[in-house]
Amino acid sequence: MTVQIPAEIAAVADYEAFARERMKPAAWAYLNGGAADELTLADNLAAFQRVRLLNRVLEDLGGGHTRLELCGLELDYPILLAPVAYQKLAHPDGELASVLGASAMGAAMVVSTQASVSLEDIAQAAQTPLWFQLYIQPDREFTRELVRRAEAAGYRALVVTVDAPVNGLRNREQRAAFTLPANVEAINLKGMRSLPPSVAQPGSSPLFGSPLLASAPTWKDLEWLQSLTRLPVLVKGVMNPRDAVRAVEQGVAGIVVSNHGGRTLDSLPATLDVLPAIAQAVQGRVPLLLDGGVRRGTDIFKALALGASAVMIGRPYVHGLAVAGASGVAHVLHLLRTELEVAMALTGCARLTDIDASLIWR
């Protein structure tokens, strides 16, 4: 069955309305919502709109390309699929359709710990490099086993999400009474010992003193994880330059500047707004990736100009997935890559290394 991409779709943002029509309201609230008042969620998008570009004319664009080397990967262009949980909420084939779309476009994909398809099945379907996104679980032995499984399946790096020791308070999701449908589960976590349920009594602390915080990962746990594997370890969720410096000193292979798509702590600044300070602190010692709010090729250009090596997209490809399965995911990547190349041509940049802050209008 060929899924037609609606003819009216000319830009990535056009997918959103069609995706909403095709998803159950509670699943939409889960995948598209953010924490609390969704200020950070909105600001991730607004930050790109506040930045203006300065063009260059009559530059020689011969031999132009968008290739880059990133943590041992040779990539054709600087766009990766970010880890998004439970993709079967968007499409019956879930992550298998996403990895098919990524493979068709030669884009690397970061697979979520909470994928709704097993990490082995995704790796078997992939014809493109995969990284594995890892939450350090309270069950540390199970975490060790997850690392072994990712290595055995051929994943090329671990991306450790460090900004969510507890879930953000996602009110939109609560109002929609979201629960996982019977056919969707975090299949990679099957068999894991979970923490005893903790229900706060009125008048007692809802979080402090709970088992959840007692087992929350620390810098020591990151060090432990690095000692378990030969794979490059990146940390995802860094917004503070001090944390970026500490991560570099601890030997991480890369940093993802991310506020979890506005899903953890509301009132964080947009990722694009903190990127320059983190780039300044890191001084090129490790690659920086950025996620949150990328909807245009010009957004990617702005992120690269302000210090990123590459970007990750999340909601945009899930919208494509909901509308047209693997074809939708591939189309989203194709649109963004095309827009990036047009932006480069119109600013006189033949290569990614030509993109710098001099092309941001102050």
Side-chain angles (χ1 to χ4, degrees), residues 41-342:
L41 177 63
D43 205 38
N44 276 346
L45 291 160
F48 285 105
Q49 295 169 9
R50 291 192 289 266
V51 174
R52 295 285 178 266
L53 300 176
L54 206 53
N55 68 332
R56 298 290 307 274
V57 300
L58 301 175
E59 295 288 337
D60 181 0
L61 298 169
H65 65 79
T66 56
R67 291 191 298 276
L68 71 156
E69 192 272 335
L70 187 68
C71 298
L73 298 185
E74 302 290 332
L75 299 177
D76 287 338
Y77 54 100
I79 309 169
L80 294 84
L81 297 191
V84 177
Y86 306 125
Q87 291 181 26
K88 280 187 178 179
L89 291 171
H91 187 277
D93 297 337
E95 291 79 1
L96 292 178
S98 294
V99 82
L100 196 61
S103 296
M105 293 303 297
M109 175 169 169
V110 188
V111 172
S112 171
T113 288
Q114 295 174 308
S116 46
V117 175
S118 81
L119 66 92
E120 289 85 358
D121 287 352
I122 297 168
Q124 216 166 357
Q127 292 177 328
T128 197
L130 299 179
W131 289 352
F132 186 65
Q133 176 268 337
L134 184 70
Y135 287 106
I136 297 176
Q137 302 294 332
D139 184 340
R140 298 293 195 260
E141 272 315 300
F142 193 92
T143 305
R144 184 194 300 265
E145 187 52 33
L146 269 178
V147 171
R148 293 278 165 271
R149 286 173 59 192
E151 289 173 336
Y155 286 76
R156 306 273 294 275
L158 298 176
V159 180
V160 185
T161 297
V162 291
D163 63 351
V166 299
N167 281 334
L169 294 167
R170 301 205 282 261
N171 297 152
R172 193 201 302 201
E173 200 182 298
Q174 291 165 327
R175 292 179 193 116
F178 172 77
T179 53
L180 282 174
N183 64 329
V184 180
E185 61 175 327
I187 198 157
N188 294 307
L189 299 179
K190 263 186 122 148
M192 180 177 71
R193 285 181 301 130
S194 42
L195 292 171
S198 170
V199 179
Q201 298 307 315
S204 66
S205 169
L207 197 53
F208 288 106
S210 71
L212 192 57
L213 287 191
S215 61
T218 66
W219 289 100
K220 273 201 174 69
D221 295 292
L222 178 62
E223 201 175 325
W224 165 76
L225 187 75
Q226 289 170 290
S227 76
L228 291 184
T229 184
R230 287 204 181 135
L231 293 177
V233 175
L234 297 88
V235 289
K236 175 178 180 289
V238 173
M239 293 285 287
N240 191 312
R242 286 186 302 182
D243 288 338
V245 169
R246 179 149 186 191
V248 172
E249 286 168 353
Q250 199 161 306
V252 301
I255 289 171
V256 184
V257 178
S258 172
N259 52 32
H260 217 99
R263 291 167 71 78
T264 51
L265 177 61
D266 199 24
S267 295
L268 285 173
T271 49
L272 190 72
D273 287 337
V274 301
L275 176 65
I278 291 178
Q280 177 69 38
V282 166
Q283 290 290 314
R285 288 174 287 175
V286 299
L288 298 178
L289 291 90
L290 172 135
D291 71 13
V294 174
R295 299 292 184 275
R296 285 281 187 187
T298 43
D299 295 345
I300 301 165
F301 187 98
K302 290 167 188 177
L304 268 51
L306 292 172
S309 303
V311 302
M312 301 203 303
I313 57 168
R315 289 180 179 91
Y317 84 85
V318 176
H319 296 158
L321 171 67
V323 174
S327 308
V329 174
H331 188 223
V332 164
L333 285 162
H334 180 68
L335 286 171
L336 289 172
R337 182 183 184 177
T338 303
E339 290 178 356
L340 172 62
E341 291 191 12
V342 169

